[in-house]
Amino acid sequence: MLLIQFLIFPGFLFAATIGLVTSWIDRKVTARVQMRVGPPFLQPFYDIIKLMIKETLVPAGTSKWFFLSAPLLGITAVSLASLILWRVLLTPSQTFMGDLIVLIYLFTMPAIATVLGSFASQNPLASLGGSREMKLILAYELPFILVLLVPVIKLQSIRLGDILLGTAAVHSISGVLALLVAILCMQAKLTLVPFDMPEAETELTGGAYIEYSGPPLAMFKLTRAMMLFTLPIFLMTVFWGGIPFAQGWLPLFLGILKYIALVVIMVLVRNTAPRVRIDQAVKFFWGPLTIIAVLAAILAYLGW
Amino acid sequence: MTKRTIIPIGPYHALQEEPEFFKLHVEGEKVVGLEIELGYNHRGIEKLSESKHYDQTIFLVERICGICSTSHPIACVQAIEDAGDIEVPERALYIRSLIGELERIHSHMLWLGLAGHFLGFNTIWMWAWRYREDVLDVFELITGNRNHYAMMKAGGVRRDIKSEDIPAIKKMIGNLVKPLTLFKNAVVDDPVIHARTKGVGTLTAQQIIDYAALGPTARASGVLIDVRRDHPHAAYGLVDWDVIVAQNGDVFDKAVVRILEMFESLKIIDQCLEKLKTVTGPIDSNPREIKPGEGVGHYEAPRGEVFHYIRSDGTNRPARHKVRAPSFMNIVTDREAVIGQTVSDATIILAAVDPCYCCTERMAAIDVNSGKKTFTSADMIRLSQAKTEQVKKQLGAPGPQIKLL
């Protein structure tokens, strides 16, 4: 039963489908902002299907095992994250203690998988991309975890169900600050512009993913699409009341609207800024964002 | 991280639209060396030109580059006119400048879009290229073509601008002011663009002079050179405009110089259109033959001075045709600009001189068996010096002493 949940709903298949739809929203909004027409609705699905039937190339002299298991690690982690997250959303009272911590770890996994895969590729561009990804993880995890402390302090629980059922953090000053910081961290977690330096097309021609082809590349793309879906939902669950299923149609509709708003904010940010350098990104996350995150945590502790 | 690795940019790379090879030597993220290899795209245009008659030559040089597709013809017809002492009617001069400045606008917009793309700012890319289409529409109205205009001819221009078209052209040109202002503000006001481009890839005025760099690359470093002003040709001596300079020599200043130049171009175009209303007369002096002699033609292309030399032996074909495009002088400054910077900045620095490789290409002879170049640059210098010594001996003149390699 759990295996089916993991594979179909609300795990892999569900997250992948909605994730690809979200990536269509991303591409369509981007296209409209850039005065283009944009892809048809099913284009992300076609892309994945096309990659699935392509040949898998493994560069000579690499560890095949490492190279091919890296995308699997990423996709497994994000499927598991989706499973845990949606069980919380569907039945908030029946979750386990510490699922917030588990989710934080699971959401780091795709980035780690990218690093593993890029170093396994043994390509100078990929290893440069990998080292940038590694620096980026170190940069954004600090403020990200600090702002996740805000709801934890407020509701005195590390159980997502309690956080979801309690007052949403966004109704306080500390919560708003925390959500803003978290959105920027999410942008980096999804490696969207301005934080897309690990794959920087014009510098590293795909960077970390440069040696991947066929199904492993499809898995990386799917992982990204699924992250595009699960991360905003996670932030909503923690800070903004999640997507409520038990309270009738209007709150559900509002929840979905909130989710789309978050995605559109990300897309707009990614279309109105150039890529920053990795040193600038680290300074940005460890400087201003960490200060705001600490401030938010202190405010939350003081009850604001 | 002191291990030295090579990041290859090329021979075919998403960054460049033409084949060329930059080897970035990097330690971690820092660039410590740069090797530039050209010669993937050599087409032998100078030699080809000797087999074409003068009218065909102009169509040939038009195809040296798709972006400077009127800069080369203007320089070429000026060289032919210089060689054959051909008069050009005044009306043709205004039309030449008008087409040349329209080309500058579309070329700078193309660069602006690419620069945005290299910085990861794809919205600027798409927008700049969207509004570039409007410039191409003006071209289509005037010349019937969007890219290769085929307007130049020795002794004048091929097509006149009809006076009934002038209001429509003016309106289309006027519509460009708004998007150009938008781009100006986007570049000048965006803090992230500042962070990415200020102090990046700086070239000092001394470096520019040492490398004889040209065009906006030089003007961004405070070197005031512009062939349009220094060696007036076409209608540039007859209209009022300014040479744009900036002082810092970084990528930001290069962008600012190009954007402000577009406004100057609009100014020139406007004045040319006004003059076309009053200056009447033929557009072509219709020369029947080119007498023996030599001539040079300069034109300030969007990237800097393009230079054509033509020697005529009295036949209907050039006996010798030499082309030097501005990127040939600008690309060598890349090494000075890029060493010590990070890989992230390297791409925008390499792109900041607005390189055009197809016009810069020189032949490279490669030995197939060893994969090595048959002639290195040191070999070439040695050959050239040996030739100089030989000439000096023939002339019996001592000349300057050269330290042999």
Side-chain angles (χ1 to χ4, degrees):
Chain A
M1 185 59 202
L2 204 59
L3 188 70
I4 292 171
Q5 284 191 345
F6 173 72
L7 285 178
I8 297 169
F9 182 85
F12 170 70
L13 203 64
F14 171 68
T17 312
I18 309 282
L20 288 176
V21 171
T22 312
S23 76
W24 174 78
I25 296 178
D26 168 27
R27 287 165 70 168
K28 192 78 183 176
V29 173
T30 301
R32 297 315 300 170
V33 169
Q34 296 178 352
M35 301 192 203
R36 291 187 285 117
V37 177
F41 182 73
L42 286 176
Q43 191 60 46
F45 296 91
Y46 296 146
D47 288 351
I48 296 295
I49 292 166
K50 186 204 78 176
L51 281 175
M52 291 311 282
I53 56 175
K54 289 267 178 185
E55 191 184 357
T56 306
L57 296 169
V58 181
T62 60
S63 162
K64 213 173 195 173
W65 195 85
F66 253 122
F67 183 78
L68 293 179
S69 64
L72 212 57
L73 173 71
I75 208 162
T76 317
V78 71
S79 303
L80 202 57
S82 170
L83 172 66
I84 295 172
L85 191 61
W86 278 89
R87 280 175 70 105
V88 170
L89 284 172
L90 292 172
T91 49
S93 51
Q94 293 178 357
T95 56
F96 60 93
M97 185 56 84
D99 47 4
L100 178 64
I101 311 279
V102 175
L103 278 180
I104 291 174
Y105 272 96
L106 285 177
F107 280 130
T108 318
M109 277 301 166
I112 296 198
T114 308
V115 175
L116 275 181
S118 62
F119 285 131
S121 318
Q122 295 198 337
N123 178 305
L125 295 171
S127 60
L128 205 58
S131 80
R132 285 182 182 183
E133 177 87 51
M134 216 152 58
K135 287 172 198 155
L136 198 60
I137 298 173
L138 294 176
Y140 64 66
E141 283 299 324
L142 179 67
F144 190 62
I145 291 171
L146 277 173
V147 292
L148 289 181
L149 281 180
V150 169
V152 172
I153 292 169
K154 277 185 172 300
L155 298 160
Q156 300 291 324
S157 170
I158 49 168
R159 224 168 65 100
L160 262 184
D162 293 344
I163 291 173
L164 186 63
L165 292 174
T167 319
V170 83
H171 296 304
S172 61
I173 296 171
S174 60
V176 173
L177 284 179
L179 183 62
L180 289 179
V181 173
I183 287 175
L184 284 166
C185 293
M186 173 167 72
Q187 195 90 9
K189 262 183 178 301
L190 294 166
T191 60
L192 295 177
V193 183
F195 307 113
D196 71 330
M197 46 293 216
E199 58 211 66
E201 183 204 340
T202 47
E203 296 161 22
L204 305 178
T205 54
Y209 310 124
I210 190 166
E211 292 288 354
Y212 279 96
S213 57
L217 183 62
M219 272 190 238
F220 269 129
K221 298 237 175 220
L222 263 182
T223 310
R224 288 198 55 169
M226 289 157 80
M227 286 285 279
L228 196 64
F229 167 52
T230 42
L231 255 183
I233 296 282
F234 174 64
L235 289 199
M236 281 172 62
T237 311
V238 175
F239 296 109
W240 211 357
I243 294 182
F245 281 97
Q247 299 163 17
W249 288 106
L250 189 67
L252 181 69
F253 180 69
L254 279 179
I256 294 169
L257 221 57
K258 278 186 218 165
Y259 164 69
I260 292 176
L262 266 185
V263 172
V264 170
I265 287 174
M266 286 196 301
V267 176
L268 289 183
V269 169
R270 112 176 166 92
N271 280 305
T272 47
R275 182 188 310 126
V276 296
R277 274 202 309 269
I278 185 73
D279 56 309
Q280 291 168 336
V282 173
K283 271 188 204 131
F284 177 67
F285 280 111
W286 283 7
L289 278 201
T290 303
I291 293 169
I292 296 174
V294 170
L295 198 71
I298 293 172
L299 283 177
Y301 186 73
L302 296 174
W304 283 63
Chain B
M1 290 270 278
T2 48
K3 209 178 126 227
R4 197 181 254 233
T5 45
I6 291 179
I7 301 278
I9 299 185
Y12 297 96
H13 189 277
L15 173 64
Q16 312 279 10
E17 63 275 27
E18 296 167 71
E20 69 287 311
F21 198 2
F22 290 98
K23 285 182 190 162
L24 283 180
H25 295 254
V26 296
E27 284 173 4
E29 283 258 345
K30 197 173 157 218
V31 180
V32 292
L34 174 70
E35 282 176 60
I36 305 170
E37 279 193 23
L38 297 173
Y40 292 91
N41 199 15
H42 187 70
R43 292 168 293 173
I45 284 185
E46 289 178 4
K47 189 71 191 162
L48 203 54
S49 169
E50 291 166 17
S51 66
K52 308 268 176 210
H53 62 69
Y54 284 108
D55 276 345
Q56 291 174 324
T57 299
I58 293 151
F59 292 117
L60 178 71
V61 297
E62 188 159 2
R63 276 145 188 85
I64 289 178
C65 174
I67 304 169
C68 304
S69 63
T70 211
S71 300
H72 283 284
I74 292 181
C76 183
V77 295
Q78 285 178 354
I80 297 172
E81 286 154 9
D82 188 24
D85 282 331
I86 297 163
E87 285 291 317
V88 186
E90 195 184 349
R91 191 173 168 85
L93 294 180
Y94 287 113
I95 296 178
R96 279 186 189 175
S97 272
L98 193 149
I99 300 288
E101 292 310 307
L102 273 174
E103 179 186 81
R104 192 177 319 280
I105 296 177
H106 101 71
S107 172
H108 283 350
M109 279 183 132
L110 186 106
W111 177 84
L112 188 69
L114 283 178
H117 176 50
F118 296 154
L119 285 174
F121 202 161
N122 286 347
T123 308
I124 283 251
W125 178 27
M126 291 295 161
W127 284 31
W129 285 25
R130 159 72 187 78
Y131 287 113
R132 178 175 166 264
E133 290 297 315
D134 294 348
V135 186
L136 300 187
D137 286 343
V138 182
F139 275 126
E140 195 175 346
L141 176 66
I142 296 177
T143 72
N145 298 309
R146 293 176 82 81
N147 267 308
H148 293 282
Y149 324 115
M151 280 292 271
M152 299 307 145
K153 126 182 232 313
V157 289
R158 283 189 189 278
R159 290 182 205 87
D160 201 356
I161 294 178
K162 292 189 210 105
S163 43
E164 62 261 33
D165 280 344
I166 290 179
I169 298 170
K170 277 210 150 176
K171 188 158 167 279
M172 290 163 101
I173 299 291
N175 287 343
L176 290 173
V177 177
K178 218 174 116 193
L180 285 183
T181 315
L182 178 97
F183 287 124
K184 189 174 110 192
N185 294 338
V187 171
V188 174
D189 295 340
D190 192 319
V192 191
I193 289 184
H194 280 221
R196 279 304 306 275
T197 56
K198 276 207 168 163
V200 168
T202 309
L203 286 169
T204 61
Q206 191 55 47
Q207 282 168 334
I208 292 292
I209 292 165
D210 289 348
Y211 281 91
L214 297 162
T217 310
R219 291 196 284 276
S221 299
V223 180
L224 192 64
I225 51 164
D226 191 321
V227 194
R228 286 176 293 172
R229 185 204 57 163
D230 303 337
H231 181 109
H233 49 267
Y236 293 114
L238 308 170
V239 291
D240 176 41
W241 60 284
D242 293 318
V243 180
I244 304 289
V245 274
Q247 297 304 325
N248 297 322
D250 50 12
V251 175
F252 180 76
D253 273 12
K254 287 183 184 123
V256 169
V257 163
R258 290 202 172 94
I259 290 172
L260 293 180
E261 265 184 17
M262 290 196 265
F263 287 98
E264 288 302 313
S265 296
L266 287 180
K267 234 163 91 182
I268 298 174
I269 292 169
D270 224 39
Q271 295 178 47
C272 285
L273 285 172
E274 281 304 316
K275 293 273 185 179
L276 281 178
K277 284 182 190 166
T278 52
V279 178
T280 49
I283 52 161
D284 184 6
S285 63
N286 234 338
R288 304 316 301 172
E289 60 172 352
I290 314 290
K291 62 185 185 193
E294 338 178 83
V296 292
H298 308 264
Y299 182 74
E300 182 74 13
R303 289 156 185 76
E305 177 193 351
V306 51
F307 170 88
H308 278 244
Y309 164 84
I310 290 228
R311 193 171 74 230
S312 160
D313 54 5
T315 62
N316 64 347
R317 289 169 190 182
R320 174 81 178 99
H321 186 179
K322 165 78 189 158
V323 180
R324 206 231 36 221
S327 294
F328 188 66
M329 313 306 289
N330 287 339
I331 287 173
V332 284
T333 62
D334 281 348
R335 195 181 282 118
E336 294 290 335
V338 85
I339 286 177
Q341 307 278 341
T342 62
V343 177
S344 333
D345 290 334
T347 51
I348 185 69
I349 294 171
L350 295 182
V353 299
D354 199 358
C356 172
Y357 302 103
C358 52
C359 52
T360 303
E361 280 300 6
R362 295 298 184 263
M363 201 177 77
I366 312 277
D367 184 10
V368 178
N369 294 325
S370 65
K372 290 222 173 71
K373 273 191 183 170
T374 321
F375 289 105
T376 63
S377 55
D379 289 331
M380 294 306 224
I381 292 172
R382 211 175 300 125
L383 278 174
S384 155
Q385 289 178 343
K387 181 83 189 270
T388 310
E389 288 300 311
Q390 197 190 331
V391 171
K392 279 199 284 190
K393 215 171 278 169
Q394 280 171 3
L395 293 173
Q401 283 299 307
I402 299 169
K403 207 173 118 223
L404 286 176
L405 275 174

